[in-house]
Amino acid sequence: RDIGGTGVQTCALPIYSLLSGSSHVSVAESLATLSRRPVTVVGSEAVAAYYGALTTPGAPHNSTVIDIGGGTIDVARREQSITVAGAGDLVTAAIAEQLRVPASIAELVKMNSSLRIESPFIATTEEGDRVFLKERAPARAVGWLCVQPSPHEFVPFSDNLTAGQWRERRFDIKGAVLGGSVRRALRNVD
C-alpha cells in the first residue's frame, strides 16, 4: 500500500516468526524479498554494535566494542560476543549501599560530580578547588556533599565525606564493578 501518495510502499512483515521459534534466516529471507535488498544477519546486538563501530572513519578492524548498559555489559570482537551481568544498575546499588541513600539519589550521585557546600555561595569541588556558586545554595545543603543535577538544584547525600574522598570512593566502586565485569568478559572473547 502507498503511504500518503509518497510512493513509499508498505506491506505486512512476518516478524511474528521471531517469536514462534523460526530461524533468523527465514526472517532475513523475508526482509530481503520484501525490500529487494541484501540482508545480513549478525549473531547479536553486540556483534551489530561491533560492525557499526567499524563504520567510524579510522576505526581499526581489530577493535573491541564494549557496551555498558544498566544490567549487562556486552563485549564484541569480530564475530564473537559475550554478555555479562554487572553494569550500571549494580554500580547504583553499590553506591546506595555505601552511602545509605535511596537508589534514586545514588543514580544522581553516580552520574554527577559532587560539591561540598561550605557556605551559601562557596563550594569545594572533587578536585579540591574552591568555587563561587552562581546560585545561592539552600541552607539545608550547607555542610553537605551535594550533587547538582541542574543549576538550581542541590541534592545533599553525605555530611561526613569531602568531595575528594567521595570521588575516590565512586571511582573505586565503578572500577570494581565495571572493570571486573569487563575483565571477566574479555577473558571469554578472543
Side-chain angles (χ1 to χ4, degrees), residues 57-161:
H61 290 293
N62 61 348
S63 296
T64 299
V65 172
I66 300 171
D67 178 11
I68 300 174
T72 61
I73 294 178
D74 300 323
V75 175
R77 188 181 301 155
R78 293 177 294 282
E79 292 294 324
Q80 288 191 308
S81 69
I82 188 167
T83 299
V84 296
D89 293 342
L90 187 56
V91 172
T92 302
I95 288 171
E97 176 68 24
Q98 174 80 37
L99 295 172
R100 299 186 188 340
V101 298
S104 59
I105 301 293
E107 184 70 20
L108 289 173
V109 170
K110 174 181 78 173
M111 303 299 290
N112 296 283
S113 294
S114 62
L115 296 166
R116 177 85 179 181
I117 308 302
E118 309 295 348
S119 74
F121 287 102
I122 298 175
T124 303
T125 68
E126 291 184 349
E127 293 76 24
D129 298 327
R130 289 176 65 89
V131 296
F132 289 99
L133 300 171
K134 294 178 183 176
E135 298 282 334
R136 178 185 184 91
R140 67 178 173 75
V142 176
W144 283 76
L145 193 56
C146 298
V147 289
Q148 197 174 8
S150 70
H152 307 291
E153 187 178 11
F154 294 86
V155 179
F157 65 90
S158 175
D159 65 350
N160 64 352
L161 293 170

Side-chain angles (χ1 to χ4, degrees), residues 24-29 31 39-44 47 79:
H24 287 105
V25 175
S26 64
V27 173
E29 289 171 357
L31 287 170
V39 173
T40 303
V41 176
V42 294
S44 70
V47 173
E79 292 294 324

